[in-house]
Amino acid sequence: MQDTLILSIESSCDETAAAVVKNGREVLSNVIYSQIDIHTLYGGVVPEIASRKHIEKINQVVEEALRQAQLSLQDITAVAVTYGPGLVGALLVGVSAAKAIAFAAGKPLVGVHHIEGHICANYIDHPELKPPFHCLVVSGGHTHLVCVKDYGQYEILGRTRDDAAGEAFDKVARAIGLGYPGGPKIDRISNEGNPEAIDFPRARIEGSVYDFSFSGLKSAVLNYLNSCEMKGVAINRADVAASFQKAVIDVLVGHSMEAMEQSGEKIFAIAGGVASNTHLRAAMEQACEKRGITLYRPEPVFCTDNAAMIGVAGYYEYRNGVRHGWDLNAVPNLRLGDRI
Ligand code: KG4
Ligand code: ZN
């Protein structure tokens, strides 16, 4: 059978990325231009700057992805692109580039949901993984507990009611002066802190066992910092980071394992930027092992935003017959399962 080669593009936030993926499982190239250095100056992602940087870099990363894969545009089967959710101006750059490339080369165009991409990152390097399974998606913009029923078929079991897990990491990191992006910095400094030092709240939502809420936890951290300041008590940043992180992880692991026990499902996966957190990975490993559950987690480079995951998701959408027209638009609030 002929190989299916997907050229994929991702530009939903602050990474300009392109990749080539073979048959939905093998990454031939994965090029990421991260804008983090620029946004760090402002303490977070500035949408207007993100869009402009995407425009500057998009052609370069696409050319580099093809070069590293040692392929020309004519060898490609289809072009896949993230069309939502994300920052509208940022998404538009990737969508416009993908449309232009696909049109010029006479290739089919496949729009991909960003969260579906994160979930599909688990198929990379794990040829044995097939639906059905459950997946926890934890990123800067999303916290979803999902039942992956089949390729391209998702049922959302729970979602955050307010802040996403990664957003909470970023806000707490800023409050304790660690800077942006907060996740990796909290991950690192926590190694020197005591996770039991401060008893931060673990929120449960009445009537929605799988939903999440992190804004109360974020406020509790801010209140703790304010009260220390007012009392003139020195703040141990490592203890605050470790205790906050433990509160997030307890809830993520708790909800996930409850869903696994209720469903009787034995395959679990994690995805998204926060899934690269070393403490979360270890806690999930332990919880799954205790219950005889097989755990999948992408390599850290495939957890944070990248185009390879979009190429994998694009492959399965392409195989399911999904084709988008030249009128494909960016959809900043695209929901998982929506079709345009
Ligand atoms: O998936 P991603 O790259 O972008 C979105 O789709 O949002 O996730 C970015 C988020 C940021 O909030 C970042 O702080 C968080 O993932 N993150 C982490 C770690 N690495 C990235 N959070 C906790 N621990 C980490 N090691
Ligand atoms: Zn993402």
Side-chain angles (χ1 to χ4, degrees):
M1 216 173 66
Q2 214 182 353
D3 289 331
T4 303
L5 296 161
I6 305 284
L7 170 67
S8 51
I9 295 176
E10 155 64 40
S11 70
S12 66
C13 191
D14 59 349
E15 261 96 29
T16 321
V20 178
V21 175
K22 183 170 148 186
N23 300 329
R25 300 276 172 161
E26 198 184 329
V27 178
L28 301 186
S29 64
N30 184 38
V31 180
I32 305 170
Y33 168 74
S34 173
Q35 307 177 354
I36 280 178
D37 288 352
I38 307 147
H39 297 292
T40 299
L41 303 174
Y42 304 94
V45 177
V46 183
E48 187 57 33
I49 295 177
S51 313
R52 276 192 243 156
K53 283 284 153 194
H54 284 312
I55 292 173
E56 279 175 28
K57 291 286 169 186
I58 193 86
N59 288 340
Q60 225 170 303
V61 297
V62 169
E63 275 170 25
E64 186 59 19
L66 286 168
R67 198 190 62 78
Q68 286 185 17
Q70 297 183 330
L71 294 168
S72 79
L73 210 45
Q74 282 319 313
D75 302 319
I76 295 297
T77 314
V79 180
V81 63
T82 307
Y83 72 108
L87 302 169
V88 66
L91 286 165
L92 268 172
V93 178
V95 169
S96 308
K99 286 200 285 192
I101 292 166
F103 182 76
K107 305 290 178 182
L109 176 71
V110 181
V112 171
H113 193 292
H114 183 76
I115 302 298
E116 179 173 18
H118 274 303
I119 295 169
C120 289
N122 279 285
Y123 296 133
I124 302 168
D125 298 330
H126 300 128
E128 74 287 3
L129 176 62
K130 292 183 178 73
F133 60 92
H134 279 31
C135 184
L136 175 74
V137 189
V138 269
S139 72
H142 309 274
T143 306
H144 283 61
L145 192 52
V146 180
C147 171
V148 182
K149 297 182 146 188
D150 203 343
Y151 295 110
Q153 271 185 42
Y154 304 94
E155 183 192 344
I156 296 174
L157 307 175
R159 55 157 59 88
T160 182
R161 295 290 185 96
D162 39 60
D163 292 353
E167 197 179 346
F169 269 92
D170 293 336
K171 287 177 177 168
V172 166
R174 191 183 311 171
I176 57 176
L178 293 177
Y180 176 85
K185 293 186 171 149
I186 289 193
D187 192 349
R188 220 169 303 129
I189 199 174
S190 291
N191 292 325
E192 294 143 36
N194 172 11
E196 314 293 341
I198 310 148
D199 188 21
F200 289 130
R202 276 80 168 146
R204 282 196 79 88
I205 293 167
E206 203 129 338
S208 308
V209 280
Y210 303 134
D211 277 355
F212 303 91
S213 166
F214 296 109
S215 73
L217 169 60
K218 176 193 67 191
S219 301
V221 176
L222 297 179
N223 289 342
Y224 172 83
L225 296 173
N226 282 338
S227 87
C228 285
E229 202 171 303
M230 270 157 49
K231 289 185 217 151
V233 177
I235 292 161
N236 182 327
R237 295 200 303 179
D239 280 353
V240 176
S243 302
F244 156 77
Q245 181 179 259
K246 178 78 166 44
V248 175
I249 291 175
D250 281 355
V251 171
L252 294 178
V253 174
H255 283 34
S256 302
M257 291 304 114
E258 216 162 303
M260 294 304 284
E261 281 167 12
Q262 283 299 317
S263 65
E265 186 61 66
K266 286 290 175 198
I267 305 174
F268 186 64
I270 55 175
V274 183
S276 63
N277 182 278
T278 56
H279 304 262
L280 176 64
R281 287 165 90 92
M284 280 295 185
E285 216 166 276
Q286 212 176 22
C288 286
E289 199 179 308
K290 207 166 109 189
R291 292 167 178 83
I293 294 167
T294 308
L295 174 69
Y296 287 90
R297 61 246 138 113
E299 287 295 314
V301 69
F302 297 127
C303 286
T304 43
D305 286 349
N306 65 89
M309 67 184 196
I310 303 303
V312 178
Y315 167 81
Y316 286 104
E317 292 293 339
Y318 176 80
R319 222 183 57 170
N320 279 345
V322 173
R323 305 286 184 273
H324 283 91
W326 307 125
D327 59 348
L328 178 68
N329 205 351
V331 184
N333 54 358
L334 184 65
R335 289 183 316 179
L336 197 59
D338 277 354
R339 288 268 179 272
I340 295 231

